[in-house]
Amino acid sequence: MTGETISDAQGQAQAPAGSAAFPRRAAKTLAEKVWRDHVVKQGAGSGEAAEPDLLYIDLHLIHEVTSPQAFEGLRLAGRPLRRPDLTIATEDHNTPTLAIDKPIADLTSRTQIQTLRNNCKEFGVRLHSLGDAEQGIVHVVGPQLGLTQPGMTVVCGDSHTSTHGAVGALAFGIGTSEVEHVMATQTLPLKPFKTMAINVDGTLRPGVSSKDIILAIIAKIGTGGGQGYVLEYRGSAIRALSMDARMTICNMSIEAGARAGMIAPDEITFDYLKGRPHAPVGDDWDAAVDYWRSLATEDDAEFDASVTLDADTLEPFVTWGTNPGQGVSLNDAVPSPESFGDENAKAAAERALAYMDLAAGTPMKDIRVDTVFLGSCTNSRIEDLRAAADVIRGREKDPNIRMLVVPGSARVRLEAEAEGLDKVFLAFGAEWRFAGCSMCLGMNPDQLAPGERCASTSNRNFEGRQGKGGRTHLVSPVVAAATAVRGTLSSPSDLEPAISAA
Amino acid sequence: MEKFSSHTGIGVPLRQSNVDTDQIIPAVYLKRITRTGFEDALFSSWRKNPDFILNRKPYDAGSVLVAGADFGTGSSREHAVWALKDYGFKAVLSSRFADIFRGNSGKAGLVAAELAQEDIELIWKELENAPGTQVSVDLHSKMVTAGSVVAPFQIDDYTRWRLLEGLDDISLTLRDEPAITAFEATRPAWKPTTLPAKS
């Protein structure tokens, strides 16, 4: 790894001068190798004037929100969906998390779900509907079924498709026109990305998790820092993480501006995949693992840019503003707009503090919240639920806090119930809901009221994201849990010893 | 897709960075299953404020949006581009666009023109000092003109060509259908398929 470290005053990544644009040079990094192995037709030319390459797509994930207009486009043009056997759909964004056996109350939501069902039937697409054991957030369902595997290209009309990069896939979100393109051709014309290494070495301290790593990275490089890059997360702290934890990191690559983030597959990846419904078996498994092992970035490979984060000194991280780059350590205070040198950043900070109703200098841990949301494609997997349950077990919820626990998939919910986690959450006073995107974006009834403040394990703290006028602080599952106990933004180390180990 | 060569219309200064797609169109409007009719949804939360730029004449009749850096971050929703187009915008100028938003713009026929931040600032001043100033966006010369400001912009050559010709991506790709079929024949047998479903 000889790429130069880069970061100007705004944290914007800069490519070293003269570097050839990926993937025209010999493939050496993980991302370049996956790209190389999917080129159907290489575009003519080079540099800025290059035509896009035509890339084959191994897996297309579909949900109800970004697909109706794409299906309609196919119908109008009289085109078939080329590969139903490389396509899978689930219902997640609009689905209620209560009373899922009843018709959806919101008529437009119900129509959108029904439209997906009709379209999947007409075009022969496998669909996991509400009530099905494999229903859930599309980015939780794919890995869980073993459908997302190392070295694949994975797309979905959802920006958090970057999640699947945790298994070593090149996975990214696309718009609806591209959804239609993939449906019709199973390919996408794509311009080369640049590559950025995110090196995270050291050992995370207790109470610090992969969510804190990615929030700290976004604060460091900014919401545009990864723009035009595929990120590769590397280093001893990344290698030590479980697959669930790796997915949390790759999930939020888009919040750093990068369309995709990847982690090289290793034994942890293979152990995770082995035995899953769609994982290869027998000789196929051996052949697949041989290939997957060949994908890792080589020692002499060059990245266009690199960024370093020290895991040893990392503290729990939390956002104070209205974009995911506006974050600080939980032990810090709300920053002053004056501390930002750039006029536009200063104006953005002033605007964010007004929206968030926060005064500069307020210790983050003094901020009282109303709602705690444990869920979303970022942090709703079984390990996230276990980590939060471990914090609240034997403790009492702050009486003024409403806490929603929304498993990422029906399968995660079942698994949690088999472990008794539902009872831990219910005894604590939290609500135990059915799977879906829920309060991450509030397309269903799970929303914040105007002015309501939320500690959320989701991925976006944009104005009104969780409900009109709602205020969001992005946190890890254990910080969310500790906050539900104390009522103010807190880490597990702030808690009194539990009443009992029950 | 409609061809685009140049456009001249009222410029709208949006002095704000990190305009995410949740602001451009909140999620509640994404429940619709149509591709048009999103004009009411554009910036719907901000438009409740009477002082918001699009509630002020003559900016309300604008067709060229001049925004701060990192425009279109966040969600991949192409509805953001549709809402801008349905309102009447033909082009957005910014010093940096989110990747997915820029891609969606190119597919849906909205010009996402990347200018230097200094030029954005100069254009903001022109549009604020003389409301109603016309902004010209010329895709042939890749130049923007706003009052006394004349500035170059960046857009990748392939997108520019497609916009100038009004070409449909899917038709272009289907010309390479034999190459796609040939590629499919080489895929390893162990790669997963979604059908038949396994559990």
Side-chain angles (χ1 to χ4, degrees):
Chain A
M1 227 293 305
T2 53
E4 289 164 51
T5 304
I6 45 69
S7 232
D8 65 13
Q10 281 77 46
Q12 158 73 349
Q14 303 287 317
S19 76
F22 154 43
R24 305 298 186 202
R25 65 192 171 211
K28 290 287 180 60
T29 67
L30 169 61
E32 289 163 323
K33 290 178 185 183
V34 178
W35 184 290
R36 171 198 67 195
D37 291 351
H38 289 83
V39 175
V40 171
K41 186 189 170 198
Q42 188 161 325
S46 62
E48 268 303 299
E51 283 177 16
D53 289 344
L54 190 63
L55 228 59
Y56 198 79
I57 302 302
D58 285 319
L59 180 66
H60 188 191
L61 306 159
I62 286 173
H63 61 85
E64 75 272 18
V65 179
T66 55
S67 66
Q69 298 86 354
F71 278 116
E72 182 67 10
L74 286 189
R75 241 188 317 266
L76 289 173
R79 291 176 174 133
L81 192 152
R82 182 179 178 92
R83 294 296 299 263
D85 63 330
L86 301 182
T87 311
I88 186 169
T90 176
E91 301 167 0
D92 56 7
H93 283 65
N94 277 270
T95 51
T97 58
L98 286 171
I100 63 167
D101 52 337
K102 303 212 168 52
I104 299 175
D106 180 330
L107 192 63
T108 48
S109 288
R110 199 197 308 168
T111 302
Q112 195 167 61
I113 296 275
Q114 191 55 49
T115 302
L116 179 70
R117 292 176 186 175
N118 296 346
N119 283 329
C120 286
K121 196 169 176 199
E122 179 182 343
F123 288 92
V125 174
R126 172 177 169 188
L127 167 67
H128 292 293
S129 282
L130 193 59
D132 183 305
E134 303 300 346
Q135 177 268 342
I137 307 176
V138 65
H139 310 307
V140 177
V141 170
Q144 186 175 275
L145 287 169
L147 279 169
T148 45
Q149 297 175 11
M152 287 173 63
T153 46
V154 180
V155 298
C156 174
D158 189 286
S159 60
H160 290 111
T161 309
S162 57
T163 311
H164 307 266
V167 302
L170 180 61
F172 48 89
I174 57 179
T176 295
S177 291
E178 290 171 308
V179 169
E180 184 182 340
H181 194 283
V182 175
M183 286 175 172
T185 70
Q186 203 59 34
T187 64
L188 275 179
L190 287 169
K191 296 280 275 193
F193 297 98
K194 291 176 284 185
T195 58
M196 185 187 293
I198 308 279
N199 300 299
V200 190
D201 282 304
T203 308
L204 292 177
R205 293 185 284 199
V208 184
S209 69
S210 66
K211 181 66 165 284
D212 304 306
I213 292 179
I214 188 63
L215 285 174
I217 290 167
I218 299 163
K220 186 170 181 142
I221 71 173
T223 56
Q227 195 252 316
Y229 292 88
V230 172
L231 310 183
E232 183 181 330
Y233 302 98
R234 305 158 56 80
S236 57
I238 302 295
R239 295 262 73 91
L241 295 173
S242 69
M243 286 310 299
D244 282 7
R246 292 178 186 185
M247 285 187 229
T248 300
I249 292 189
C250 290
N251 172 275
M252 289 189 72
S253 302
I254 184 70
E255 269 64 63
R259 231 170 148 173
M262 304 176 79
I263 295 174
D266 58 13
E267 295 306 322
I268 289 174
T269 320
F270 308 147
D271 287 349
Y272 174 90
L273 281 167
K274 190 150 197 172
R276 293 198 177 260
H278 286 272
V281 292
D283 290 345
D284 278 350
W285 172 263
D286 296 336
V289 171
D290 281 348
Y291 173 68
W292 296 343
R293 282 189 203 287
S294 75
L295 293 171
T297 295
E298 287 161 32
D299 291 342
D300 62 346
E302 278 190 45
F303 289 89
D304 295 305
S306 70
V307 168
T308 300
L309 187 77
D310 180 10
D312 288 328
T313 57
L314 188 67
E315 295 175 352
F317 227 76
V318 57
T319 60
W320 52 267
T322 53
N323 76 55
Q326 292 175 321
V328 290
S329 286
L330 189 51
N331 285 322
D332 288 346
V334 176
S336 162
E338 300 305 318
S339 65
F340 297 93
D342 176 67
E343 280 303 314
N344 289 314
K346 189 189 289 184
E350 279 168 0
R351 189 188 162 93
L353 291 187
Y355 181 86
M356 294 295 287
D357 191 28
L358 291 173
T362 307
M364 292 307 295
K365 286 186 176 175
D366 286 358
I367 297 172
R368 175 156 282 282
V369 309
D370 308 299
T371 293
V372 171
F373 172 59
L374 176 58
S376 87
C377 57
T378 312
N379 280 124
S380 63
R381 295 176 181 79
I382 190 68
E383 286 181 14
D384 300 316
L385 303 190
R386 282 179 195 144
D390 284 347
V391 171
I392 64 171
R393 196 177 277 116
R395 293 193 162 99
E396 283 184 25
K397 182 173 70 64
D398 180 284
N400 298 315
I401 292 265
R402 143 172 99 129
M403 182 176 184
L404 254 69
V405 183
V406 184
S409 69
R411 187 64 69 191
V412 168
R413 185 179 146 103
L414 289 170
E415 199 175 347
E417 288 176 347
E419 296 177 17
L421 301 185
D422 57 325
K423 293 189 178 63
V424 176
F425 289 117
L426 288 167
F428 181 68
E431 298 176 42
W432 179 244
R433 298 292 190 91
F434 289 92
C437 301
S438 180
M439 196 183 267
C440 175
L441 82 170
M443 279 190 81
N444 73 354
D446 307 341
Q447 297 176 13
L448 295 180
E452 200 175 349
R453 189 180 298 280
C454 180
S456 178
T457 65
S458 57
N459 40 57
R460 288 183 178 141
N461 51 343
F462 298 151
E463 289 180 23
R465 167 84 175 180
Q466 297 190 286
K468 207 176 290 177
R471 300 177 176 128
T472 303
H473 296 276
L474 300 176
V475 297
S476 72
V478 295
V479 168
T483 299
V485 175
R486 282 168 49 98
T488 50
L489 290 172
S490 303
S491 79
S493 61
D494 298 322
L495 300 178
E496 305 287 329
I499 304 155
S500 73
Chain B
M1 194 166 71
E2 213 175 309
K3 287 185 185 183
F4 185 108
S5 59
S6 69
H7 171 77
T8 301
I10 292 175
V12 180
L14 184 64
R15 269 193 190 266
Q16 207 169 310
S17 58
N18 270 294
V19 176
D20 58 75
T21 54
D22 274 78
Q23 306 316 316
I24 299 172
I25 179 168
V28 65
Y29 294 99
L30 311 189
K31 297 180 185 184
R32 299 176 186 170
I33 57 173
T34 57
R35 203 172 185 127
T36 54
F38 289 96
E39 61 275 8
D40 59 323
L42 180 71
F43 296 122
S44 74
S45 175
W46 292 350
R47 270 160 81 186
K48 292 198 173 62
N49 173 359
D51 294 333
F52 181 61
I53 192 86
L54 287 183
N55 289 331
R56 286 152 51 190
K57 289 188 183 310
Y59 299 118
D60 59 341
S63 59
V64 178
L65 187 66
V66 187
D70 296 314
F71 188 84
T73 53
S75 158
S76 63
R77 59 190 71 165
E78 195 165 313
H79 310 65
V81 174
W82 302 338
L84 284 161
K85 283 194 69 187
D86 288 348
Y87 184 89
F89 284 106
K90 306 289 186 198
V92 181
L93 320 184
S94 171
S95 63
R96 194 162 60 192
F97 291 96
D99 281 333
I100 300 178
F101 179 86
R102 186 176 37 207
N104 288 342
S105 297
K107 307 287 179 194
L110 178 76
V111 172
E114 194 176 304
L115 279 79
Q117 183 62 32
E118 307 91 84
D119 292 330
I120 294 283
E121 309 261 355
L122 290 175
I123 296 172
W124 278 341
K125 284 191 188 123
E126 288 277 340
L127 301 181
E128 285 162 356
N129 292 338
T133 295
Q134 302 268 319
V135 179
S136 291
V137 180
D138 188 303
L139 200 50
H140 283 286
S141 61
K142 295 201 281 183
M143 296 297 284
V144 169
T145 310
S148 61
V149 180
V150 180
F153 69 85
Q154 298 292 318
I155 186 165
D156 82 83
D157 288 340
Y158 183 73
T159 301
R160 175 170 163 265
W161 169 69
R162 281 183 46 260
L163 288 167
L164 287 169
E165 301 291 329
L167 293 171
D168 166 26
D169 253 0
I170 296 178
S171 305
L172 285 176
T173 297
L174 286 174
R175 291 184 196 165
D176 291 319
E177 209 273 341
I180 300 172
T181 303
F183 183 90
E184 285 174 329
T186 67
R187 292 183 82 228
W190 48 260
K191 285 234 179 176
T193 57
T194 57
L195 298 170
K198 299 177 188 173
S199 57

